[in-house]
């Protein structure tokens, strides 16, 4: 398994609110590659920019996940863990004076026999099927909810970045729609892609497919995704994780 990661802070930001975890490695503002087997968790968390403490929230959640990952072998154990983790994040936010701190999360947790998806918010997981990207997660946003409920005009006029699910945020109810489920039960896809919204809101799927199917190195592909998103107007933090199982 080859894992390539790029995390870049947004324009005019002192620090990135995005955080990535690969196994026990916490990645905040760098580009790295790993060639490894036996990784038990890979995830991206995007601290919510509208709530103070977004960076702390994303790091808090992924550090807790990484340090407890050896004990999370089943769907039920993950559900219990994330319910307790959300309560810890809410308490931590109050203790440090930023009670509304929040983060999205999209990750894969691997046990010996299973692979579990963990998802809240609008960070994304894709897989490459042939030459085409398929989005595995569904954005938990106001925009997507309005589309799903048939309110097309309201969807076109809403703020597409408003999320409807996260960890933290000052209320336990924001985590009620956290998705935890088995995925890829037959076989792990050859190519897996994670993105934060600083990437996928500024790159169309055709562009991402073209890059992933190119002869360029994975490190160069991620670098180009970040540069192209910036050129298209992205001022947000940008995170990309690319996994190749071959």
């Amino acid at each position: 398994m080859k894992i390539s990661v790029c995390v870049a802070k947004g324009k005019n930001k002192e620090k990135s609110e995005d955080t990535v975890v690969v196994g026990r490695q916490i990645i905040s503002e760098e580009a790295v590659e790993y060639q490894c087997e036996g990784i038990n968790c890979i995830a991206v968390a995007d601290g919510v920019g509208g709530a103070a403490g977004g960076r702390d929230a994303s790091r808090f959640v992924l550090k807790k996940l990484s340090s407890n990952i050896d004990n999370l072998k089943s769907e039920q154990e993950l559900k219990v863990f994330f319910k307790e983790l959300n309560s810890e994040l809410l308490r931590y936010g109050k203790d440090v004076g930023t009670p509304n701190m929040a983060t999205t999360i999209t990750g894969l947790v691997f046990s010996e026999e299973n692979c579990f998806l963990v998802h809240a918010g609008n960070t994304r997981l894709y897989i490459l099927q042939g030459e085409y990207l398929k989005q595995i997660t569904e954005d938990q946003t106001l925009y997507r909810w309005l589309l799903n409920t048939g309110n097309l005009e309201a969807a076109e006029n809403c703020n597409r970045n408003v999320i409807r699910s996260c960890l933290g945020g000052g209320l336990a109810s924001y985590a009620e729609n956290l998705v935890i489920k088995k995925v890829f039960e037959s076989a792990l896809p050859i190519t897996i892609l994670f993105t934060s919204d600083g990437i996928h809101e500024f790159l169309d799927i055709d562009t991402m497919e073209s890059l992933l199917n190119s002869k360029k190195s994975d490190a160069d592909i991620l670098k180009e995704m970040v540069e192209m998103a910036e050129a298209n107007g992205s001022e947000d933090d940008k995170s990309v994780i690319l996994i190749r199982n071959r």
Side-chain angles (χ1 to χ4, degrees):
M1 178 184 289
K2 181 182 179 183
I3 305 167
S4 303
V5 178
C6 185
V7 182
K9 68 183 179 68
K11 185 178 180 181
N12 299 323
K13 286 193 172 186
E14 291 186 8
K15 294 181 179 179
S16 172
E17 293 180 319
D18 285 8
T19 305
V20 164
V21 66
V22 176
R24 297 189 182 279
Q25 300 298 314
I26 302 294
I27 304 154
S28 293
E29 292 176 29
E30 57 185 320
V32 294
E33 289 191 324
Y34 303 94
Q35 189 77 47
C36 50
E37 299 297 332
I39 291 292
N40 45 17
C41 70
I42 301 169
V44 57
D46 181 354
V48 178
R55 174 182 168 87
D56 286 346
S58 66
R59 291 177 67 85
F60 182 93
V61 165
L62 293 193
K63 283 183 175 180
K64 289 284 186 178
L65 174 61
S66 176
S67 61
N68 288 276
I69 196 63
D70 291 340
N71 300 318
L72 303 175
K73 306 295 186 184
S74 69
E75 186 173 328
Q76 181 60 30
E77 287 171 340
L78 282 165
K79 288 180 177 178
V80 171
F81 169 77
F82 273 98
K83 183 176 181 179
E84 294 175 351
L85 173 57
N86 193 54
S87 296
E88 288 182 43
L89 179 60
L90 291 169
R91 289 194 297 270
Y92 174 69
K94 289 181 180 179
D95 290 345
V96 299
T98 50
N100 293 324
M101 66 163 53
T103 185
T104 69
I105 183 172
T106 299
L108 294 175
V109 174
F110 304 92
S111 67
E112 291 182 2
E113 298 180 353
N114 298 303
C115 178
F116 300 97
L117 170 67
V118 178
H119 173 67
N122 62 345
T123 38
R124 288 183 183 174
L125 173 67
Y126 300 87
I127 63 171
L128 198 64
Q129 293 185 321
E131 297 181 351
Y132 301 101
L133 274 176
K134 176 182 179 181
Q135 185 177 333
I136 300 302
T137 53
E138 180 173 283
D139 294 346
Q140 295 175 326
T141 59
L142 175 62
Y143 173 71
R144 176 48 55 186
W145 179 77
L146 288 169
L147 286 180
N148 290 347
T149 54
N151 294 293
L152 305 185
E153 183 176 350
E156 289 305 312
N157 293 299
C158 78
N159 182 344
R160 297 192 180 196
N161 294 323
V162 175
I163 58 173
R164 300 185 69 245
S165 180
C166 63
L167 297 176
L171 294 172
S173 59
Y174 288 141
E176 288 180 354
N177 292 322
L178 176 73
V179 174
I180 298 176
K181 65 179 182 180
K182 282 185 184 180
V183 289
F184 313 140
E185 293 189 56
S186 57
L188 204 61
I190 292 174
T191 298
I192 300 171
L193 179 72
F194 295 80
T195 59
S196 64
D197 62 344
I199 294 289
H200 58 248
E201 291 295 337
F202 295 87
L203 292 183
D204 61 54
I205 200 161
D206 290 341
T207 298
M208 291 194 288
E209 287 170 350
S210 178
L211 285 168
L212 291 171
N213 289 304
S214 71
K215 300 298 183 181
K216 298 174 182 178
S217 71
D218 289 345
D220 284 344
I221 289 171
L222 268 55
K223 181 181 178 183
E224 283 203 36
M225 283 188 178
V226 169
E227 291 175 347
M228 292 174 74
E230 289 176 347
N232 289 338
S234 177
E235 297 185 354
D236 199 358
D237 304 319
K238 289 164 280 292
S239 294
V240 196
I241 309 170
L242 179 56
I243 304 171
R244 304 282 199 182
N245 294 294
R246 59 186 180 197

